[in-house]
Amino acid sequence: MRLPCPLCGDRDRREFYYQGHALMLERPLRDAGDAAWDNYLHNRDNPAGETRDLWHHEAGCGAWIVVTRNTVTHEVLDAILVEKARV
Amino acid sequence: MGYSGFKIIKEGLFGQKGWKPVWRNPEPKPEYDVIIIGGGGHGLSTAYYLAKEHGITNVAVLEKGYLGGGNIGRNTTIVRANYFLPGNSEFYSHSLKLWEGMEQDLNYNTMMSQRGVLNLFHSDGQRDEFVRRGNAMINQGDDAILLSSEGVREQVPFIDFENTRFPIYGGLLHKRGGTARHDAVAWGYARGADQRGVDLIQNCEVTAIDIESGVVKGVQTSRGPIRAKKVAIVVAGRSSQVAAMAGIRLPIESHVLQAFVSEGVKPLLNNVVSFGMGHFYISQSDKGGLVFGGDLDFYASYAARGNLPMAEHVMDAAMTLMPAIGKARVLRSWGGIMDMSPDGSPIIDKTDTDGLFLNCGWCYGGFKAVPASGFAYAHLIAKKMPHKTAAKFRLDRFATGQDLLDEEGTGSQHNLH
């Protein structure tokens, strides 16, 4: 599997650290309540198909990127910088 | 039809014409007392123990594909009870006892081979940790022997003891651990359940779970609606999809775990050997093939096949531990879909919907749990109370933070197990 880093182009999967689903970007407010935090920390949609997940190009440019990818076929559809995914 | 040595000789003399299919292929009835979604190892053992231990036989196992076609047919067949934490320890201890009696209980040859599981250690600190684990296993009533480097050499002479980075300081030998014929376990439980009246319904995909006023009423399937008083989900890597039919969002992420088998070679390995520093373990099948694997690929996946980086890592670890196998060719590799929970331990629990039960989160350790998981799940379904060996496998432990079962001590968080 190769991931298209927006800064470096197509790079080997080995250069990236996998953080998990991109909902990690949507951190609840401190007083959002236990259910919101449980959903953020533990519960997952875990889709069989298209998903968005968070990778760190740790052995490359150091960018955090949001990758849109298919979990059934391993096809990579898109990758954008986190700062652009957040808007 | 019972199996015996006499039966095998008799069939050999008469052209093997007397063997019959070992389970029926029934049409689904309109209603059951219990529907089990998932005809894998855990689902089939659940059906078996529901019938045997609780006398509940008006049961259907609904399987989307064929029986035993998921992880029970895709694992590396290791059976062990070397867990440390209270909660896990008594559960896997119970499971190993059920494994030991399984062939007699099922009248089915599951090729249970207690060849010993040997975990290697490579530093003084690791030895201390293994002593602690071994003592916990002995306290639980199971067995553990601490071996020196020389003791390991007697067991497995063909590993590299002089490795500079990870020298072999010794190992923890768990003699009652070993391997079993994985498919036969599924077939044995299927046959036992079928003989007691359970309907095993294949090619029957559940498409919806019917719930009215917080009470489960049945399921919709590709072969029509089926009513049921109780519905039990046990679908491993597909848990999130099936639970979503009941509006439940699970603390599960599905990952791929790869395994490999080499061409057959002469007897080389008596034990299951694990090389923790390389996330590597290996055993030799009765056919001579070396069966080995490593860690997760570490990204969410339903592909049932992995990528090259982990395959290369596993081969690196194999060569580091056992350079002698370097010329053996790898015949096959495959992947299974692991239902990973945040703390690396399973869930066997009721849900907020009355009559709906959940069994998932087996991570990469589901095979050895097959008997005890079915036993405990059957108890939960029959009595609506957890069995004492599985009382800590609660769904709400992540939300509350109480009694987390973080066996590896890495934290209760996805991507760490």
Side-chain angles (χ1 to χ4, degrees):
Chain A
M1 186 157 67
R2 292 171 76 79
L3 298 177
C5 174
L7 302 179
C8 312
D10 261 5
R11 304 300 298 174
D12 192 300
R13 176 258 178 276
R14 269 169 275 222
E15 294 182 7
F16 296 85
Y17 170 75
Y18 178 74
Q19 176 68 40
H21 195 272
L23 70 72
M24 293 307 285
L25 297 173
E26 294 149 28
R27 188 182 176 89
L29 295 173
R30 192 188 294 184
D31 55 359
D34 290 349
W37 276 97
D38 186 35
N39 271 325
Y40 173 72
L41 291 170
H42 307 121
N43 295 332
R44 295 290 178 266
D45 289 340
N46 195 21
E50 204 169 295
T51 193
R52 288 169 70 244
D53 41 26
L54 197 55
W55 300 71
H56 180 213
H57 197 183
E58 64 175 358
C61 62
W64 280 95
I65 60 176
V66 175
V67 176
T68 305
R69 143 186 104 79
N70 189 312
T71 57
V72 177
T73 62
H74 288 168
E75 183 187 8
V76 178
L77 303 164
D78 187 32
I80 56 172
L81 293 173
V82 158
E83 65 205 54
K84 295 199 170 132
R86 269 203 159 120
V87 288
Chain B
M1 180 179 66
Y3 293 130
S4 64
F6 173 74
K7 174 87 176 157
I8 290 170
I9 293 167
K10 188 179 151 202
E11 288 299 328
L13 291 174
F14 294 101
Q16 313 282 3
K17 286 176 185 155
W19 301 112
K20 299 217 166 47
V22 295
W23 54 78
R24 300 163 293 129
N25 211 3
E27 285 297 311
K29 290 192 278 188
E31 180 163 8
Y32 291 93
D33 290 341
V34 179
I35 283 176
I36 296 166
I37 306 175
H42 292 241
L44 293 166
S45 70
T46 302
Y48 175 77
Y49 290 116
L50 267 177
K52 180 176 176 251
E53 299 293 327
H54 305 283
I56 300 172
T57 56
N58 187 22
V59 176
V61 177
L62 307 183
E63 168 53 49
K64 177 171 76 168
Y66 57 94
L67 296 182
N71 291 342
I72 187 83
R74 307 179 73 81
N75 58 75
T76 46
T77 79
I78 295 163
V79 173
R80 58 187 166 87
N82 55 358
Y83 280 70
F84 179 78
L85 291 180
N88 279 334
S89 189
E90 61 264 39
F91 175 81
Y92 290 103
S93 179
H94 181 230
S95 203
L96 184 55
K97 291 187 187 91
L98 291 172
W99 278 107
E100 288 173 326
M102 178 187 289
E103 291 179 339
Q104 296 304 317
D105 188 28
L106 296 175
N107 175 233
Y108 205 87
N109 182 8
T110 56
M111 294 170 67
M112 177 63 184
S113 164
Q114 291 180 290
R115 59 184 65 185
V117 172
L118 177 60
N119 300 124
L120 302 174
F121 54 81
H122 314 277
S123 68
D124 291 332
Q126 228 189 347
R127 179 193 284 124
D128 291 348
E129 195 270 330
F130 274 44
V131 168
R132 187 166 174 246
R133 178 172 296 269
N135 284 335
M137 290 157 66
I138 291 166
N139 280 340
Q140 183 57 48
D142 294 316
D143 66 288
I145 300 171
L146 194 77
L147 297 180
S148 64
S149 174
E150 281 311 304
V152 172
R153 200 184 290 271
E154 283 173 21
Q155 298 282 333
V156 276
F158 299 113
I159 60 178
D160 181 7
F161 285 84
E162 276 81 48
N163 185 292
T164 317
R165 179 65 185 84
F166 299 118
I168 309 293
Y169 273 41
L172 190 67
L173 178 63
H174 171 42
K175 277 191 171 178
R176 284 164 62 230
T179 63
R181 168 92 168 93
H182 52 175
D183 295 319
V185 176
W187 300 333
Y189 276 119
R191 173 173 168 266
D194 178 89
Q195 282 175 340
R196 285 166 174 78
V198 172
D199 281 358
L200 307 175
I201 300 164
Q202 306 180 65
N203 297 313
C204 183
E205 180 174 359
V206 171
T207 54
I209 297 172
D210 298 333
I211 298 166
E212 287 171 24
S213 324
V215 181
V216 77
K217 295 292 177 187
V219 297
Q220 302 289 322
T221 78
S222 55
R223 293 171 69 172
I226 309 174
R227 293 191 305 278
K229 296 182 187 75
K230 295 174 180 174
V231 173
I233 301 170
V234 51
V235 293
R238 294 279 171 171
S239 295
S240 297
Q241 281 73 44
V242 177
M245 294 175 193
I248 302 167
R249 199 158 165 265
L250 290 178
I252 296 289
E253 216 175 55
S254 293
H255 282 248
V256 59
L257 178 70
Q258 301 193 63
F260 307 84
V261 65
S262 80
E263 62 187 329
V265 294
K266 287 187 176 178
L268 177 73
L269 268 176
N270 295 320
N271 314 96
V272 178
V273 178
S274 86
F275 175 42
M277 301 313 291
H279 292 288
F280 176 79
Y281 61 94
I282 186 166
S283 66
Q284 188 168 21
S285 79
D286 292 346
K287 284 191 290 186
L290 299 164
V291 182
F292 53 98
D295 213 340
L296 296 175
D297 271 32
F298 275 111
Y299 46 84
S301 171
Y302 286 85
R305 61 185 158 74
N307 265 297
L308 196 55
M310 188 48 69
E312 285 186 348
H313 173 86
V314 169
M315 302 305 156
D316 284 350
M319 287 304 291
T320 305
L321 180 68
M322 297 184 73
I325 65 172
K327 285 186 178 171
R329 280 166 294 196
V330 174
L331 287 189
R332 291 187 299 281
S333 74
W334 65 94
I337 307 169
M338 309 292 115
D339 36 333
M340 301 301 297
S341 66
D343 66 357
S345 292
I347 296 157
I348 303 179
D349 206 350
K350 292 182 274 196
T351 67
D352 291 337
T353 300
D354 191 28
L356 183 68
F357 303 89
L358 185 68
N359 179 331
C360 64
W362 291 99
C363 301
Y364 24 64
F367 179 68
K368 63 183 166 289
V370 161
S373 163
F375 195 95
Y377 202 27
H379 186 279
L380 177 71
I381 296 163
K383 300 193 184 300
K384 295 198 175 180
M385 289 283 291
H387 189 256
K388 62 180 189 222
T389 57
K392 292 205 168 184
F393 295 162
R394 293 172 63 111
L395 176 58
D396 67 0
R397 68 179 185 267
F398 307 103
T400 64
Q402 287 175 12
D403 283 342
L404 289 164
L405 293 163
D406 180 11
E407 187 79 27
E408 293 174 2
T410 51
S412 174
Q413 185 184 314
H414 289 295
N415 91 355
L416 295 182
H417 292 273

